[in-house]
Structure formats: C-alpha cells, structure tokens
Amino acid sequence: MISINIQGRNVEGYVSEEVSPVEPMGEKEDGNYRIAPFFGWTAEKQQIVDNYDPQKAKAHLREILRTWNSTLRRVLNDYYASTGDRDAVCVRKSYLGDNCPVEHPLNEKMKSLTASLTSGLDPWLYAEIVSTYEDMERLVEAITDTKKRPKDIKRVLSGYHIAVPNVRVAKKPFSWDGGYTLLDGTNWTTSFVAASTSREYNPTVVAVGGADTLVFAFNVDNCNAWCPGTTTNECVVVGHSYDRGQTMNLDLCLYNTSANLGEVAIGADPYRKTFTVAWTDDYWYPDYDIYAWTFHINNPNINNNGPITVDYSTVSTVTPYVNSEFNWGKPGCQGQWTSSCSCSALDNWIFIGYNKLGGSDNDGDGYRDAIGVRIARSTDCGASYSVVYDGPSRNGSAYDHNQIMLETTNDPRGSSSVCSSSNGGDNTIQAVYTWKSPSSCTDPCSNNYITHLFTDASGSWGGTWAATDVLSGYWKPISQPWMSVARALTSSSMTHLILFESRYSSTDADIRGIHASGMPPGGWSSVFNVDYTTIDSRTPTVHTDARWQWCPGATTSTASYFHTAFYHKCPNTYDGRLCSEPYTSYNNTYRVAVMRAQWSSPESWGPEYCKVNLTYADTIAIPPPPSYSNGGLWQSWWQINGTTFRAHNTYGSAWWFGALWVYLWSSSDWDLEWTILSCLVGNGDDDLSVGEAVSRGDGARVSATDGGILLEGEGRVAVYSPDGRLIRSLTVKGRSKVPLSPGAYFVRTGRSVRKVVVR
C-alpha cells in the first residue's frame, strides 16, 4: 500500500508538455460560492429552517426526545464514564473553578436546548436540536460498531517492531554532474533528509519543546531501504533535529511484519516534549484502521505499551492528522517524564482527525467514496483514545477523501490552570475538511464545501463540536484545505486563515483562501487569491508564527506572520508571478513556492525575508534545473509540509519557517528534502554529507570564519561553488585559512561534503 496512492491513483509530478502563455493574475473567470453568514451556520440547518413546518417539527421533536431518553442518552453516558473522559473533564473543570458536567457533553447540550423550548419552538432552535440529535446518533453508531465486531487487536500489535535506520546503505552517491547538485534559490538552503533508492513520501514535521527542536516522520514503501532485515512492507521512519533543521537525524523505523503502515502524521506536546505519531494500518484490508504511538523526545516508551489503536471499527478509517493542545501541562513538569511527573488530565490533550472510507462508488470514478470524518481524543497522554466526533456521510470534493486537518489554538477569552490569560489563556481545537454535494455527483462537481469544526472549554474540549460551512456552493472542486490561526493575545486579533487548492481544471489548480477574526471565528471574508493564474499550483500548507505558544513561556514579541508552501509548475515562459529567469530551463517542473503574509493582512502575500542580512528570498525556493531537475512531487495531497520554529530559545528571538517536501528523482524513486532560509544556517552547522553523516574525523576539519573558511588537520580539500565549479583545491597540514567572498560553498574533505556559509 503506497499510502498517497491508497486507491491506486497515478503519479502526478513531472510534466513535460508545453503550456500556453499565462494570463495576468486575476483575469481568470470566477464563479459562485457562499460564505457562512454567522458562526454555526450550515447549509443543512438552513434547509431545515427554509422547510420549517411547526406541526411537523413538534411531532419530530417528540420522536427525537423519546429516542434520546430511551437509548442515546444512556449509551453516551456509559461511554463517557468508561473511557475516563468524564473524570478528565471534571479534573480540568475543578481547576478552573467550574462545575463538573453530570452527563456526556452532548447530553448536557441537548438539556440546554430543550430547556429553551419554554420560550417556544422557533426554526433555528429546531434546526439546532435536530443537528445535535444527529451528532448523537452518529457517535453512538461509531461507539457500538467497535463493540459489535471486535478485531483480534493483540494479533495485529504483536507484529509491530522498532529498528534503527542504517544511513550508510540509504543515501545516493554524491556527484557534481549527476543532475542532483545541491543548488538553492536566492537566500534558500536545501538539504537531504531521506534519499534512498526507494520511495520516501508523506512528509510531516513539527516543532517541539525547545526553540530549535524539530521532529519529523515520513513513509517509505520498502522498509528494508532504511532498516535492512525488517520487511518489504511500507513503514514509518521518525527522526529529529536539535539545531533548527541544519542536521536531520533518523531515529527509528516503525514497522509491522504483517501490515503496511502508511499516511503517517506527527504532532507534538511542547510542554512535556512528547510527540505522537499516527498512521493507517491495512492489516484487515480492505478495512483500514488508525494506530498511534506517543514518545518522549528522550524516551520511546513513556506509556510502556507501544503502538495502540485509535480506531479499529469495521468502518475503514484512513489518513490521520495529529494535533495537541499547548496551554496545559502539569505544573513543574516541563520537559519531564518521571514518576513524580506522570500524566494527569491537566496535561495537554491529543486530538487525531481522520477520514472514513466507504465500500461503494456512487460517483462512478472507480474509487471507493469517502463517507465523512471522525476525531478521536486522548486525555491521558496518548495511552488511550476515545471517539469524540463522527461527521455526516459525505464524499470528498476533488478526491474521494475529505482531507481533514486539525489546528489547536490559544483561547484568550479564558485562562487554563497552568497559563494565565495574559499568556494566551485556554485552548480551542478546530478542524477543516472538504466535501461535495451530492456525494454521487460526477467529478468535477459545482457544489463544493469547506466545513469548519470548533470546540473549546464550553464544549469540554472535544465533547461537543460546532460545525460551520464556512465556504459552500463553491463552483470548483476543492483539495487540501489547511487552517492556521494567529497566536494573538486578544480575541479580536485572532485571525483564522484557510488556504486551499481550487481545481480550475485537471491541469490548472490555484491557491486561494478565506479568513475570519474573533473567537470563535466569524465574519469570514470573500475568497481571495494567493496564486490565481493559468499556471498550475497544488496542495498548500500554511503555518503561523508562535506555533507552540504560550507554555512553556514563549511570547508573541516577534510573531506576526503566516507562512505557506505549495507546489507551483514553472513553465518555459513567463508565468506572471512566481518563477524567476531563466524561464526556458524550468522544463515545466513543479517547484516549491514559499511565501508569507502578516497576521493583520492575510490577503497580501510576498516573499520570505532574511532578518540577518536584511534581504528578501526568492518565492521559488528551489531554482531551475539542473538543480532538482525533475522538480517536486505532488500527488493528490499532503506531499509538502512545514513548521515554524525559533532559532534561539531566548526572549524576543525571531520565528522562522521550514518546508519538508518530496523530490521526484524518478517515477519509482522519491526523496525527502528540507528547505530553510540561508540566513538561519550557522557557521559550518549545515552538514550535507551524502554518503553518510558527516565524519568530524574524515580529513581536515572545516569551519566558517570572517571572510573565508578555516581548515585544520591533514588531508585533501576541494572547495566548490553552488553550481559545482571547483574554486580551490589544496592539501592541508596543520591550519590554513582560505579567503572567500560571502556566500555558500561546498567543501569536500575525504568522503564528506559540507555546506559552509561565509558571511
């Protein structure tokens, strides 16, 4: 199972056909859509209101209340208690000085709604009751489904193992003239993360804890490529960086001898410095399940139980997305995991959103239809999960996939037990996903949606979710909606931003967006453009400064930007905006575009800016061939990711953005690359060994110094320009300085190659 190709889709990446000259940005035809008029508005509620009949509504209401009281109420309360969620919510409510809810939050919501009936039944109240009742029905069905047909989970778990990657056998040979020179766009540095002769894909990366600590994961289609002697199945590879991505180190392969582990996702708890890896397991194919494993940054066995099930119902569940709160945490336990700092309900809770896959093909495209989304929650640091949301049956928009992603934000309206309101307050948990109506519509459909989900303390942090169709009736298929929220300290400044791929045609997609302010978000904008030309752009990812505010004490003093990365096909002629000269060398390949916009101006996107040397970077982070001659790979969704982080763990230090993306070496060989601003690269810390990790004892030692490089030790040294031109070759005995103009250079010492930036 190649997870980005879970239903057999073809590779889409390198394109060689000629393209017509581009139209200027903004002149492309636009179509119809509707923006949500208020928070909590959905097209289905509007339909209920429009068709409201008082007599029919009263009869239906009696039926709803009868079923709720006779069945649903009891099942929800039993599940709420048995999972430990009720106790966890009560612990938090007690710390906040609030009363503990007696029943499941959905039951509490229904009690509140029915209490409002004393003032009469109006259309919108009726619509809200119906919507809440349907949420209950679906959640109860999800709960009882697992109990009806339990799987032999122990048999699945027994096949899970961990192995240590062998980087010596997993790197391509380095060659200046092999078409894979390490060139970068102006002010960009790109380095290998994974470059075996197999396929690496599904990149996921997040900052955790300390300012410059990153953890990342990806899939490989043949686990033996990274961990020889394990399995030929698809597996998960996890790694870290302690120096803001200048060196990326591989830690482990997680594999199952009887199953493929695909569609990996990773999330982090910045307070405890734990991270959670989730993936799709195909042991029961054609029924897929979701599994997860929570690690401490220094201890892979904090829960002493290895991988656990997130969702193993008889409904196929695929493509998880992980996010964690960041404003809670047991006081005095920052970064620790000991007996005195064991997990409690005061710790950050973990949320995993994922997609449901049906068994039919009602839209006739040859693939199984999507049937909506689910969200699971862990209130015990990843030791167990319970389903907290089960969405309506809905097919995906651009694909048979709803593409849910989650975002946790600070909530300045209230204070958690650990962080005061002046430091960001409590947390909200939000999600977005896309769908089309009707589900049987033959693609491309002209009635597409982005639905936003929201929960906060009033919903017991996942007990109830408010759905809003923020974009409805959109005239083109939608892919990869991605949400990010400004980490501001006031509700009015909490800009909520959603970017998405708008599929204008099969060969022309655009990057567009909407935004809102407030908490919860309201007053969504009209659709605006990030890249709206006749040149193809795909799969945006968007992230915010201050990613893990506010615990453990970071501030917003230097945080003010959103950052996006996406694939953009650079043609052989002028594309109107992003690609720079010489155009004829691009060969119609997909390059990585990186841009930023201020929190206060989310519709105005421009290039990234190096605060060190006060210069702007290219919008295309990888330049024309021969560098990365085949370009980046986009296939369906989520083949590019990124994260914000700080270069230094000091007050007022700047926030930066890095992109993790897939390079199309060939149709059967994909690699993972990491791109950051060059001004982040330290003196000699950007190690780019290709044969193996840089050996400090391999020939002369290299370091940057003012106006050149310093060589110490003995051995042959060759200095190359970024385009592979030999600048200097010498034999070192002792200590020698090589004067060089400011810029980036590659220095070969023995078998190692390093990139050194001279200031």
Side-chain angles (χ1 to χ4, degrees):
M1 177 182 71
I2 304 299
S3 296
I4 57 172
N5 190 18
I6 196 168
Q7 298 195 61
R9 300 187 184 281
N10 294 323
V11 174
E12 300 182 66
Y14 177 78
V15 179
S16 60
E17 76 272 17
E18 293 293 323
V19 295
S20 302
V22 69
E23 297 172 0
M25 178 180 174
E27 290 189 8
K28 185 187 287 186
E29 173 189 5
D30 207 347
N32 297 323
Y33 60 84
R34 181 175 185 178
I35 297 296
F38 53 84
F39 176 77
W41 180 90
T42 68
E44 291 180 349
K45 289 180 186 176
Q46 185 68 59
Q47 186 176 26
I48 293 173
V49 170
D50 292 343
N51 297 322
Y52 180 72
D53 181 300
Q55 297 305 315
K56 291 182 179 179
K58 289 180 181 179
H60 188 208
L61 181 59
R62 287 193 295 269
E63 183 180 328
I64 285 175
L65 296 180
R66 182 170 57 251
T67 305
W68 170 51
N69 281 305
S70 64
T71 307
L72 302 182
R73 192 171 188 173
R74 173 184 52 81
V75 174
L76 289 173
N77 284 338
D78 289 347
Y79 184 70
Y80 192 47
S82 65
T83 58
D85 285 355
R86 182 180 65 186
D87 291 341
V89 169
C90 286
V91 168
R92 283 195 169 188
K93 293 287 186 178
S94 176
Y95 269 83
L96 294 176
D98 298 333
N99 294 327
C100 176
V102 176
E103 300 190 54
H104 188 284
L106 279 172
N107 289 333
E108 296 288 350
K109 181 179 180 180
M110 184 62 84
K111 289 194 296 183
S112 176
L113 290 172
T114 54
S116 301
L117 291 173
T118 56
S119 301
L121 181 62
D122 67 71
W124 282 105
L125 175 59
Y126 172 63
E128 193 64 40
I129 291 175
V130 171
S131 177
T132 302
Y133 174 75
E134 291 175 347
D135 285 348
M136 290 178 169
E137 280 191 311
R138 293 191 305 271
L139 185 56
V140 167
E141 184 177 357
I143 293 168
T144 56
D145 173 58
T146 302
K147 295 179 179 178
K148 283 189 299 183
R149 293 176 57 193
K151 300 172 182 175
D152 187 356
I153 299 303
K154 290 184 179 179
R155 183 164 48 143
V156 182
L157 294 176
S158 65
Y160 276 98
H161 304 279
I162 285 179
V164 178
N166 185 350
V167 296
R168 290 179 181 273
V169 300
K171 291 283 189 177
K172 293 181 171 71
F174 183 83
S175 173
W176 286 113
D177 57 0
Y180 199 50
T181 53
L182 298 172
L183 292 174
D184 310 287
T186 301
N187 274 337
W188 291 106
T189 290
T190 297
S191 58
F192 297 99
V193 174
S196 75
T197 56
S198 190
R199 288 192 283 193
E200 292 90 23
Y201 46 92
N202 292 337
T204 176
V205 60
V206 68
V208 56
D212 60 355
T213 298
L214 310 175
V215 290
F216 62 92
F218 58 91
N219 284 119
V220 59
D221 66 345
N222 181 349
C223 204
N224 280 330
W226 284 103
C227 291
T230 54
T231 177
T232 58
N233 291 339
E234 183 181 22
C235 72
V236 171
V237 182
V238 180
H240 75 275
S241 172
Y242 290 143
D243 58 3
R244 58 195 181 274
Q246 293 187 95
T247 54
M248 306 288 264
N249 304 293
L250 301 180
D251 294 324
L252 59 89
C253 294
L254 177 64
Y255 68 98
N256 192 312
T257 53
S258 301
N260 292 291
L261 314 184
E263 305 181 313
V264 64
I266 199 165
D269 172 354
Y271 182 73
R272 289 288 198 144
K273 296 189 179 181
T274 65
F275 56 96
T276 298
V277 181
W279 60 91
T280 303
D281 181 299
D282 73 346
Y283 185 93
W284 301 100
Y285 177 85
D287 183 2
Y288 299 97
D289 299 308
I290 304 296
Y291 285 73
W293 196 353
T294 296
F295 304 81
H296 189 272
I297 194 72
N298 295 319
N299 179 5
N301 296 302
I302 61 170
N303 288 316
N304 299 317
N305 55 4
I308 64 169
T309 57
V310 176
D311 192 304
Y312 56 100
S313 64
T314 58
V315 174
S316 277
T317 48
V318 299
T319 323
Y321 191 100
V322 184
N323 219 315
S324 172
E325 297 176 308
F326 52 83
N327 259 336
W328 289 82
K330 193 173 181 179
C333 291
Q334 178 181 333
Q336 301 180 48
W337 199 269
T338 62
S339 57
S340 61
C341 282
S342 58
C343 180
S344 79
L346 296 183
D347 278 293
N348 289 309
W349 293 356
I350 304 165
F351 292 82
I352 301 180
Y354 46 97
N355 304 269
K356 298 181 292 183
L357 190 64
S360 59
D361 176 25
N362 293 317
D363 59 0
D365 61 0
Y367 305 107
R368 297 164 62 183
D369 294 340
I371 53 173
V373 301
R374 278 184 185 165
I375 300 174
R377 176 184 67 187
S378 175
T379 61
D380 53 12
C381 304
S384 65
Y385 287 86
S386 58
V387 178
V388 291
Y389 180 79
D390 188 90
S393 179
R394 292 168 169 172
N395 202 358
S397 177
Y399 301 99
D400 292 346
H401 197 292
N402 297 112
Q403 302 174 310
I404 188 173
M405 69 83 59
L406 273 63
E407 173 77 328
T408 52
T409 75
N410 61 298
D411 188 349
R413 299 172 302 169
S415 176
S416 75
S417 60
V418 176
C419 297
S420 67
S421 59
S422 62
N423 271 342
D426 206 338
N427 294 281
T428 75
I429 304 92
Q430 305 184 41
V432 290
Y433 70 92
T434 183
W435 55 286
K436 66 183 179 183
S437 181
S439 291
S440 58
C441 172
T442 301
D443 297 329
C445 296
S446 59
N447 189 23
N448 301 277
Y449 295 75
I450 294 177
T451 293
H452 171 260
L453 301 174
F454 180 92
T455 187
D456 57 9
S458 66
S460 296
W461 305 277
T464 63
W465 297 78
T468 306
D469 293 339
V470 292
L471 183 63
S472 60
Y474 187 77
W475 65 307
K476 292 293 184 181
I478 296 170
S479 182
Q480 193 161 310
W482 204 292
M483 183 177 192
S484 188
V485 182
R487 301 292 198 258
L489 291 172
T490 60
S491 295
S492 59
S493 301
M494 295 287 288
T495 301
H496 295 66
L497 172 67
I498 299 175
L499 297 186
F500 60 94
E501 174 192 315
S502 172
R503 186 71 54 80
Y504 194 86
S505 71
S506 61
T507 58
D508 177 14
D510 304 296
I511 309 302
R512 312 191 79 184
I514 57 175
H515 61 89
S517 60
M519 188 62 76
W524 289 89
S525 71
S526 300
V527 174
F528 67 89
N529 302 318
V530 176
D531 183 52
Y532 195 62
T533 66
T534 56
I535 303 301
D536 204 17
S537 290
R538 302 280 182 167
T539 61
T541 177
V542 60
H543 303 266
T544 182
D545 288 347
R547 168 65 189 84
W548 37 270
Q549 299 289 74
W550 265 255
C551 282
T555 71
T556 58
S557 60
T558 59
S560 57
Y561 283 91
F562 294 111
H563 308 261
T564 185
F566 54 90
Y567 289 115
H568 178 78
K569 188 172 74 172
C570 289
N572 289 341
T573 56
Y574 176 59
D575 82 335
R577 185 167 191 213
L578 300 180
C579 306
S580 57
E581 298 185 51
Y583 307 111
T584 56
S585 62
Y586 280 110
N587 200 29
N588 297 308
T589 54
Y590 287 90
R591 321 308 284 179
V592 175
V594 184
M595 305 175 75
R596 70 173 190 170
Q598 289 187 340
W599 287 350
S600 58
S601 303
E603 298 185 16
S604 301
W605 291 83
E608 292 281 355
Y609 185 72
C610 266
K611 304 177 185 67
V612 176
N613 56 13
L614 305 180
T615 59
Y616 286 98
D618 286 349
T619 52
I620 299 296
I622 55 172
S627 174
Y628 304 103
S629 58
N630 290 339
L633 169 79
W634 73 267
Q635 180 175 334
S636 302
W637 56 86
W638 292 353
Q639 294 314 306
I640 189 169
N641 206 327
T643 188
T644 54
F645 54 94
R646 294 191 301 164
H648 306 286
N649 194 14
T650 55
Y651 180 85
S653 62
W655 287 87
W656 305 89
F657 175 74
L660 191 62
W661 54 279
V662 179
Y663 170 62
L664 183 66
W665 176 279
S666 70
S667 61
S668 61
D669 185 355
W670 310 333
D671 299 327
L672 229 60
E673 310 291 338
W674 170 249
T675 298
I676 56 175
L677 288 169
S678 296
C679 53
L680 267 175
V681 178
N683 292 335
D685 288 335
D686 190 19
D687 299 327
L688 299 184
S689 171
V690 180
E692 57 186 2
V694 171
S695 171
R696 299 294 180 180
D698 184 11
R701 295 184 298 277
V702 183
S703 59
T705 185
D706 292 340
I709 58 174
L710 184 64
L711 306 173
E712 298 176 280
E714 296 185 3
R716 291 288 301 171
V717 176
V719 182
Y720 295 86
S721 67
D723 61 1
R725 181 173 55 86
L726 180 64
I727 294 177
R728 183 80 181 273
S729 178
L730 69 159
T731 298
V732 177
K733 288 186 178 181
R735 182 183 176 96
S736 178
K737 180 179 179 179
V738 179
L740 294 169
S741 301
Y745 299 88
F746 291 103
V747 182
R748 182 191 294 278
T749 58
R751 294 170 299 165
S752 298
V753 178
R754 299 187 65 196
K755 184 173 186 177
V756 178
V757 176
V758 176
R759 307 292 184 188

